[in-house]
Amino acid sequence: MTRGSPGLGPAAPVSVLMPTYNAERTVAVAVSSTLKALTAVDRLYVRDDASTDGTVAIIKQHADPRLVLIEGEENLGVAGGLNRLLEQVRTPLVARMDADDVCLPWRFHWCKKQMSGVDVLFTSSAAMTDDRALTTRNIPFPISTELFAMHLLIANPVTHSTMLGWTDIIRQTGAYRVTVAEDYDLWLRLILSGRRLRRLALPTLRYRYHPGQLTAGATWLERLLQDRPLAESYDAVAHKTLGSQAFWLRDLMCAWSGDGPPSDSLRHFGQLVRAASVARGPNKLLLERRLRKFGL
């Protein structure tokens, strides 16, 4: 499969990967909303990661031939579970969905139309909590393939569960590795392999914020700082994009968690990004907004 393969486009079947673990409060809506957005030839693969609650029983209530449930006997974590799911895929396109998000009806029909010339596609998302939708003053801007690597160096600019990509390209890149941020690590490796990534402005799902998220844990920063494979991927992208080793990475990781004021290394990083960027108009506005978020 090559990106933008002729004759596929909106008709290309997609397989959606949804790992679950103790998601009984939210999984019913996640599954039903995803199925509503799929065509008759698409598939939703769900692997339960040895849940101890009623997640599996709730999933089994959905009598739909497009839904394939795999009941894991051992807890493999997100990366391990996703790789097991990826082994099942026989469609040219693969997508992601989380067990606590809500898929919007137009997601796959619209996104398939945008895959020409793109290897992996993302969209923006609309935020929500368990109780209500959240509003934001920030206008969702797209991120072009030309600027994606630059944004990736600032911080992960995309929501994992909005991903749609060509299956063979995800596999050729090595799929998911066990790191603190398995999605961010994959995006970095895709950039290193010369793939074209893009984010669209239109939201295609509602992303749920809650205290139980992995990045909300107190030990997340400590684990992140010790993640050597992720650091190596980041450093390689920095060298490719900015022509510099990522001597600022440790300080940037602290900034991601809101820990500490901007350092000299971060200010130098900001200067490198601005010097290398070709962004103009709204693209430049988005880049500046993301740099200033971390005091750069």
Side-chain angles (χ1 to χ4, degrees), residues 194-272:
R195 302 305 183 181
R196 294 172 62 84
L197 283 66
R198 178 187 178 196
R199 188 185 79 179
L200 304 175
L202 180 70
T204 60
L205 64 77
R206 290 195 174 276
Y207 179 81
R208 190 185 306 269
Y209 286 89
H210 57 83
Q213 287 170 306
L214 290 176
T215 51
T219 62
W220 179 76
L221 175 58
E222 181 180 349
R223 294 170 54 222
L224 186 67
L225 292 172
Q226 297 175 355
D227 195 329
R228 186 171 182 82
L230 182 64
E232 291 174 347
S233 295
Y234 182 98
D235 189 72
V237 173
H239 189 272
K240 178 179 181 178
T241 307
L242 301 177
S244 173
Q245 289 187 319
F247 54 86
W248 60 81
L249 180 56
R250 185 176 183 86
D251 289 341
L252 181 60
M253 287 178 170
C254 291
W256 291 343
S257 66
D259 185 13
S263 63
D264 289 341
S265 68
L266 283 181
R267 294 187 184 93
H268 186 70
F269 167 58
Q271 293 171 0
L272 287 174

Side-chain angles (χ1 to χ4, degrees), residues 168-212:
D168 67 324
I169 286 175
I170 300 298
R171 287 173 171 156
Q172 290 167 12
T173 310
Y176 294 94
R177 300 193 300 184
V178 179
T179 73
V180 175
E182 71 286 330
D183 54 342
Y184 188 47
D185 174 67
L186 177 56
W187 317 152
L188 291 166
R189 287 183 288 118
L190 283 163
I191 290 294
L192 286 174
S193 62
R195 302 305 183 181
R196 294 172 62 84
L197 283 66
R198 178 187 178 196
R199 188 185 79 179
L200 304 175
L202 180 70
T204 60
L205 64 77
R206 290 195 174 276
Y207 179 81
R208 190 185 306 269
Y209 286 89
H210 57 83

